Amino acid sequence: MSVTYLEYSDPSGAEHKFYEVTVDGADLTVRYGRIGTDGQTQRKTFPSPEKAQAEAEKKLREKRRKGYEDAVQGVRQKREVVRRTFTETRATTRQGAPLLWKFDTKATAFGIFAGDDQVWVGNEAGQVHALSPDGEVQRSFTLPDGVKCLVRDDRWTFAGCDDGNVYDLSGKLPFVAYEVEGSAALLWLDIHAGTLAASDWDGNVFAFDAESDQQWANVATGGKMGWMVRVDDRGVYYGHSAGVGMYDRTSGLPLWQAKTRGGVLFGWQDGQDLYAGTTQNLIQRFTKAGEHVQDYACDAAVLSCATSPGGEYVFAGDSGSAVYCFTRTGERLWKLGSGVGGALSMQYSGGRLYLVTSRGTLAALDASPEAIQAAQRGEAPAPRDVKLAAAAQASAPLTQLTVTADSGQGVRLVCERDGTRLRVRPTTPGYHAWNVQFPRNLREAGATYLVDDLVDAGGFYRVVGDIRRVG
């Protein structure tokens, strides 16, 4: 038996991969993936040991041409994980916020997305739950690593995890849509029109296209702890210990940078404005051209912020477990205690402010004037405790495909080699020859797949429904 182990690191330090080939008689085993993980495994039996060895040598030559080199397994380590820590300060208000319901996820939670029909939460244990606005648990997933953030791109929901995998949660089973390589701890992600932006502990910012290929990487200058990254049609906006700034979305060229009072701990965007929550007890609003236009003063470090549509109201959560509401012009309207810990992320939707906290709680706060006024009088009702049904089953990510007969029902896809890349394209009539956002770990040259449908996402397709392999 012979084993050959290769590794690859790109010049920017954004990718660290391994490739291992084992020949045992007529059996060929290939294992590949990110350094520090078990990776994916493919096995094939050939008519003879000589044919298996010839195929192995062919695969190794291809990898060496791409820059892979012989290495010793275990020398490079997997991506570092940073858990967000803060000093929880003494509560500065006794008035409790009007919480409608609360859901205990059992671990510190950062990830949240609140829409009209569902509210998503993801915690450091890798558990993701989707609830109705009234607090009914509807779907649950268990991902392989802690969830840093939950983001929406059109009607697709994604979970960004500590290991750099970004999972599409839109189907029955989640699958890896993007892979963010790198050694520094991943802190935040955002997606817009297929472009994924990521920021890390060292303040670096990366952009990836819909097929998970890196478009550009920018090494931080003067700042670390990139807790803020946001994307729109024009650019990628970031915030770290030295301030906020903008890169051109396509080229990655820096367009502007502005200092903030204190390091940035959270970031939000709405329309033409950026909001940076800082260690100096402030939310600072900037235009997307980099002009500082407004401050919102809190009584402790700002851990999270959000706005209502159009920025009419600005919300904040601080390290003293307080929640604030301001007018757009900076007037503080109210401050109330969350009662469930410091809000590490928040979103406003449908007259409610949804919080996820250091205690692992997802809570729905009634932000209507009537409810707030009652809370200020000390008349906030006790929130309803939402329980996860004992029979609820959490779905794990998709790691292998169901093989189906070629019934012709659905959209047919084929995996092709395009230079050094494996790409998936539709072959069913009526679809353009665009690429499909498809799990990298399930791509195999020459393979054919069926999906329920494809949706045009602007120059590429996203999968709707189940993925099956035609066998």
Side-chain angles (χ1 to χ4, degrees):
M1 183 174 71
S2 66
V3 180
T4 305
Y5 180 83
L6 309 178
E7 288 185 350
Y8 170 81
S9 293
D10 77 346
S12 71
E15 291 186 302
H16 303 285
K17 300 179 180 181
F18 73 88
Y19 192 82
E20 181 185 76
V21 176
T22 301
V23 179
D24 187 0
D27 295 328
L28 173 65
T29 302
V30 176
R31 189 171 65 91
Y32 60 94
R34 268 199 299 262
I35 292 170
T37 69
D38 292 335
Q40 306 295 320
T41 301
Q42 296 178 348
R43 295 182 177 87
K44 188 173 182 180
T45 300
F46 289 82
S48 68
E50 291 76 18
K51 290 187 179 295
Q53 186 63 42
E55 180 65 17
E57 291 173 358
K58 175 184 175 183
K59 290 180 176 294
L60 291 168
R61 284 196 301 272
E62 290 177 352
K63 289 298 179 183
R64 288 188 172 106
R65 280 199 296 269
K66 296 175 186 177
Y68 281 75
E69 298 177 343
D70 291 83
V72 177
Q73 185 175 355
V75 174
R76 289 195 182 101
Q77 300 300 312
K78 68 180 294 186
R79 177 195 296 277
E80 180 186 1
V81 173
V82 169
R83 300 302 191 192
R84 188 171 184 178
T85 60
F86 64 93
T87 301
E88 192 158 356
T89 56
R90 182 175 59 87
T92 54
T93 179
R94 294 183 179 180
Q95 295 172 313
L99 301 185
L100 298 170
W101 53 262
K102 60 181 181 178
F103 173 58
D104 184 6
T105 74
K106 309 298 184 183
T108 297
F110 293 99
I112 187 172
F113 176 79
D116 294 335
D117 56 343
Q118 282 185 324
V119 182
W120 293 78
V121 58
N123 65 20
E124 286 188 344
Q127 297 165 339
V128 180
H129 305 281
L131 291 81
S132 71
D134 291 327
E136 177 188 356
V137 180
Q138 298 177 332
R139 305 177 69 190
S140 295
F141 300 119
T142 299
L143 302 180
D145 216 325
V147 176
K148 269 294 192 293
C149 56
L150 290 162
V151 292
R152 177 69 64 91
D153 191 17
D154 195 3
R155 61 188 178 97
W156 283 266
T157 304
F158 298 87
C161 290
D162 283 323
D163 61 3
N165 282 336
V166 180
Y167 293 87
D168 185 329
L169 306 180
S170 305
K172 292 180 181 178
L173 295 177
F175 64 80
V176 177
Y178 299 85
E179 299 177 36
V180 183
E181 303 290 348
S183 56
L186 189 68
L187 297 189
W188 210 254
L189 305 112
D190 195 23
I191 299 175
H192 177 74
T195 296
L196 170 76
S199 54
D200 67 19
W201 179 260
D202 289 334
N204 305 316
V205 180
F206 309 93
F208 300 81
D209 64 19
E211 291 186 275
S212 197
D213 289 312
Q214 184 173 297
Q215 292 179 284
W216 49 262
N218 276 300
V219 178
T221 55
K224 289 185 173 294
M225 298 179 292
W227 283 112
M228 170 185 172
V229 67
R230 299 291 176 182
V231 191
D232 67 7
D233 288 331
R234 294 178 298 169
V236 174
Y237 308 90
Y238 65 89
H240 51 43
S241 60
V244 294
M246 176 184 181
Y247 296 117
D248 180 80
R249 178 180 159 184
T250 303
S251 67
L253 291 173
L255 299 180
W256 59 262
Q257 184 168 338
K259 290 186 178 297
T260 53
R261 286 176 57 189
V264 177
L265 295 177
F266 196 85
W268 183 259
Q269 68 166 328
D270 183 89
Q272 300 302 309
D273 293 307
L274 300 173
Y275 299 81
T278 78
T279 57
Q280 293 299 308
N281 307 355
L282 291 172
I283 299 173
Q284 297 197 278
R285 176 161 61 95
F286 293 81
T287 69
K288 289 187 175 179
E291 179 187 1
H292 173 223
V293 289
Q294 187 66 57
D295 285 343
Y296 307 85
C298 299
D299 301 323
V302 177
L303 303 180
S304 60
C305 56
T307 69
S308 62
E312 181 182 6
Y313 297 107
V314 178
F315 302 95
D318 74 10
S319 58
S321 300
V323 182
Y324 303 76
C325 178
F326 301 87
T327 65
R328 180 174 176 82
T329 56
E331 177 190 358
R332 184 192 290 189
L333 297 179
W334 50 262
K335 173 189 176 183
L336 297 167
S338 76
V340 289
L344 300 180
S345 295
M346 57 173 56
Q347 280 197 21
Y348 177 91
S349 178
R352 298 177 179 181
L353 185 65
Y354 295 93
L355 318 172
V356 287
T357 75
S358 55
R359 301 179 193 172
T361 301
L362 168 65
L365 188 160
D366 186 347
S368 67
E370 298 78 14
I372 295 299
Q373 290 166 9
Q376 290 172 324
R377 295 193 301 266
E379 300 171 4
R384 176 171 57 91
D385 271 318
V386 174
K387 303 296 184 184
L388 184 63
Q393 297 293 318
S395 301
L398 182 67
T399 57
Q400 59 184 8
L401 293 176
T402 300
V403 178
T404 184
D406 188 0
S407 63
Q409 298 178 352
V411 181
R412 190 181 181 95
L413 313 175
V414 64
C415 183
E416 302 172 337
R417 187 169 296 281
D418 181 5
T420 61
R421 306 163 66 186
L422 286 177
R423 314 184 86 164
V424 175
R425 307 179 192 274
T427 58
T428 297
Y431 291 88
H432 297 283
W434 290 339
N435 299 311
V436 178
Q437 189 171 66
F438 197 88
R440 280 198 173 195
N441 61 316
L442 301 178
R443 299 181 196 179
E444 184 176 336
T448 301
Y449 312 95
L450 283 175
V451 298
D452 294 344
D453 197 5
L454 296 177
V455 171
D456 175 3
F460 69 97
Y461 288 109
R462 282 192 169 130
V463 171
V464 175
D466 293 335
I467 303 172
R468 292 95 65 196
R469 179 163 177 172
V470 177

